[in-house]
Amino acid sequence: MGIVRQDVAKLGAGWNKTLLNYALAMRALDALPISNRNSWKFLGAMHGFDAELWRGEELIGGTDTVPSELTDGTYGDQCQHGSWYFLPWHRGYLATFEAIVAAKVKELTGDDWSLPYWNYLDTTNADARRVPQAFLADKLPNGDPNPLRTYPRRTGLSVLQPGRRDAFSLAAVQENDFIVGNNGSIGFGGGITGDFVQFGGWTGDLENNPHNTVHRLIGGYMGDPRLAGLDPLFWLHHCNIDRLWEAWMSTPGKTMTRDSRWREGPADRPFLMPALGGADPGITFGGADTLKGGKFHPTYDNLTKGTGLVPGGVAVARVGMGPSHQQSVEPIGANASAVSVGSKPESSLVTLEPRATTAGVAAMGATTPGHTVTRLYLALESVRGEASAPQIDVYVNLPDGADPDAHPELHAGNLTLFGLNVASRPHGRHGGNGLGYTLDITELAQRLQQAGGFDPTKIRVTLVPGEHVSDDSPITVDKISVLKRVGIVS
């Protein structure tokens, strides 16, 4: 692409040239009508759009004409989540946004511009989680209102502050395969779908954390996919998520999918981005266009800091399970009925098939090449609710009435259910199917086994409500199951 994306922390404190130019361009683009395909609001509506919500937020006035292409599926409401299209679609979205902002910067100042990333996972920077100051300032250097503060965030936000159990995680980059299984329920990238779907069935590891976690922690518009693209921080966050994907693909031992359905994009319609200037026919693309050599492939200044990876060097130390297409994923147990979580923790018994479970547990620690190796996962299927980014914690074999904080060793994971409101709408294009998640419980199962506490006939799963979950806004999970992933040590 001819440009290099840089860490915003390396560009200088306060109003460095990159962020000042970003603010100036944003102000100009936000002054354009939503009918302009290069306007700030049109770009934001491409991620998610709800005319009633936007009017309620006074983002569009009563006399504003909303172009039909934002409501008929042509350009609006495109964001891909819960599927293997999550990463390639957002990469194309970033590149389009970057080109439009860069053109406006050039027009206003004559400067070149590229989208920076916010490296909130950089352990070498003590201030990595602090919101860049330019996004918090009341005024521009000349005293004008700061456009980078136009849209609301969590009250008092100045630094990303995860709670006791919802810490940032780079566990996603330990996964060696983009997708595993017939439906892609396990893997780095998200569930398999052949068609365009804004919220699909299975959330990939990288999307779950840190992507979803950061959306919730920033809050405000960032906490709702129908508004998130309006916050200028959205673009720096997604730039970092995109960088993590690039680092993962550049690391030995990681396997990207070669499936033609992914490479060519949705079968029922192409992904579509507005051209610079907004003229028809726009820019269509598929997954292959986001890979090396493709029209949307980016360049980053660094793929090591804050990624947990060493591209071109040593892969993350996890036992290889062989080619992903030769691995298998099978359910070995499930609970009997749906679970509803309100203000209190709720538990459900998952009945296991003893023989398959015993064999799976026995092979979890295999390291000898050629031997069978397994990993175990909890799957939460058809998760529904009305909140836009609620949070739950998942525990295995937590004693009845026990304080979850007293048993970190039984914590299977934290989930921020970003977009749950959209995925749960019964009359939406998603059919109200909700979202799906898998949590790797291999190490937890090994600890239980070593302590003599793993029963091959059953496990008890406890869902602990977090932020935005209450009796008035509960979360329902249609099914909780245990999946066994089987491969051969490579």
Side-chain angles (χ1 to χ4, degrees):
M1 291 178 62
I3 60 173
V4 178
R5 294 175 177 170
Q6 301 179 72
D7 183 350
V8 70
K10 309 300 181 186
L11 298 175
W15 284 110
N16 58 69
K17 181 184 286 189
T18 296
L19 293 185
L20 179 57
N21 284 342
Y22 187 28
L24 297 176
M26 179 194 169
R27 182 172 63 183
L29 294 172
D30 209 15
L32 298 174
I34 193 172
S35 56
N36 186 315
R37 290 178 181 168
N38 283 184
S39 71
W40 190 267
K41 290 186 176 68
F42 189 96
L43 292 168
M46 287 183 63
H47 189 271
F49 183 70
D50 182 308
E52 182 179 356
L53 173 66
W54 280 46
R55 290 192 187 280
E57 291 289 318
E58 299 183 349
L59 296 168
I60 46 179
T63 60
D64 289 343
T65 300
V66 176
S68 60
E69 59 192 5
L70 286 180
T71 58
D72 65 9
T74 303
Y75 277 106
D77 254 1
Q78 279 203 57
C79 72
Q80 301 294 290
H81 289 267
S83 86
W84 61 354
Y85 293 137
F86 167 70
L87 289 165
W89 183 85
H90 280 86
R91 175 164 283 188
Y93 188 41
L94 284 174
T96 300
F97 172 84
E98 182 175 49
I100 290 170
V101 174
K104 182 57 67 175
V105 169
K106 188 66 134 177
E107 175 191 325
L108 294 173
T109 70
D111 294 331
D112 294 325
W113 189 86
S114 61
L115 178 65
Y117 60 89
W118 180 12
N119 191 2
Y120 37 72
L121 294 169
D122 182 5
T123 56
T124 68
N125 176 11
D127 293 325
R129 296 185 182 181
R130 291 196 172 277
V131 178
Q133 187 58 37
F135 293 85
L136 302 176
D138 291 324
K139 305 289 185 181
L140 292 173
N142 68 357
D144 289 347
N146 178 13
L148 300 183
R149 285 200 66 175
T150 299
Y151 298 110
R153 303 178 185 122
R154 182 184 293 271
T155 302
L157 175 72
S158 62
V159 61
L160 299 178
Q161 294 181 306
R164 294 187 301 276
R165 297 184 294 267
D166 64 339
F168 287 129
S169 171
L170 277 172
V173 303
Q174 297 176 26
E175 174 57 59
N176 291 328
D177 296 297
F178 192 76
I179 53 166
V180 183
N182 293 330
N183 59 8
S185 57
I186 293 170
F188 183 83
I192 295 172
T193 176
D195 290 339
F196 178 99
V197 55
Q198 193 184 21
F199 280 89
W202 294 105
T203 302
D205 291 349
L206 186 65
E207 182 180 358
N208 178 39
N209 197 336
H211 170 265
N212 287 0
T213 302
V214 171
H215 269 278
R216 181 180 57 79
L217 291 175
I218 293 175
Y221 280 12
M222 274 286 279
D224 191 321
R226 301 169 299 173
L227 299 165
L230 293 169
D231 189 331
L233 270 177
F234 170 95
W235 303 94
L236 276 70
H237 166 44
H238 267 276
C239 194
N240 195 48
I241 294 298
D242 186 80
R243 185 180 70 100
L244 288 167
W245 179 34
E246 187 66 19
W248 184 87
M249 287 193 291
S250 303
T251 301
K254 308 302 184 184
T255 305
M256 259 309 292
T257 180
R258 298 180 180 179
D259 194 304
S260 61
R261 293 171 296 175
W262 184 91
R263 293 180 60 84
E264 295 169 8
D268 58 340
R269 57 150 294 174
F271 292 136
L272 178 66
M273 295 290 161
L276 188 61
D280 287 327
I283 305 169
T284 58
F285 71 102
D289 294 306
T290 65
L291 300 179
K292 194 166 293 185
K295 58 190 173 188
F296 286 144
H297 185 257
T299 301
Y300 290 96
D301 63 344
N302 186 286
L303 295 176
T304 302
K305 287 188 175 182
T307 67
L309 296 165
V310 183
V314 180
V316 173
R318 174 182 280 189
V319 173
M321 302 183 71
S324 56
H325 67 277
Q326 294 180 6
Q327 298 175 42
S328 65
V329 178
E330 60 174 321
I332 59 173
N335 67 342
S337 60
V339 181
S340 180
V341 185
S343 60
K344 299 178 181 178
E346 296 292 340
S347 297
S348 186
L349 193 66
V350 175
T351 303
L352 303 174
E353 200 291 307
R355 184 176 299 179
T357 303
T358 299
V361 170
M364 284 191 299
T367 58
T368 304
H371 284 211
T372 297
V373 60
T374 62
R375 299 192 74 84
L376 297 182
Y377 298 79
L378 270 184
L380 281 67
E381 302 180 44
S382 298
V383 185
R384 297 182 179 90
E386 295 181 357
S388 59
Q391 172 198 3
I392 59 171
D393 284 282
V394 184
Y395 285 80
V396 171
N397 288 359
L398 184 71
D400 189 25
D403 179 3
D405 287 340
H407 293 278
E409 77 283 1
L410 301 178
H411 188 226
N414 174 270
L415 296 173
T416 288
L417 313 174
F418 178 67
L420 191 67
N421 56 338
V422 176
S424 302
R425 291 185 298 192
H427 303 299
R429 65 181 64 170
H430 326 288
N433 294 325
L435 299 172
Y437 300 87
T438 52
L439 292 170
D440 191 331
I441 59 168
T442 305
E443 281 72 28
L444 194 162
Q446 287 176 318
R447 291 195 299 270
L448 291 173
Q449 181 195 30
Q450 291 164 2
F454 193 91
D455 184 342
T457 67
K458 61 182 182 298
I459 64 171
R460 173 188 166 101
V461 176
T462 301
L463 306 179
V464 179
E467 191 172 35
H468 307 310
V469 184
S470 66
D471 291 337
D472 293 329
S473 185
I475 289 172
T476 60
V477 182
D478 275 7
K479 182 180 179 181
I480 302 175
S481 58
V482 173
L483 305 179
K484 182 173 72 170
R485 174 183 179 183
V486 182
I488 302 298
V489 177
S490 57

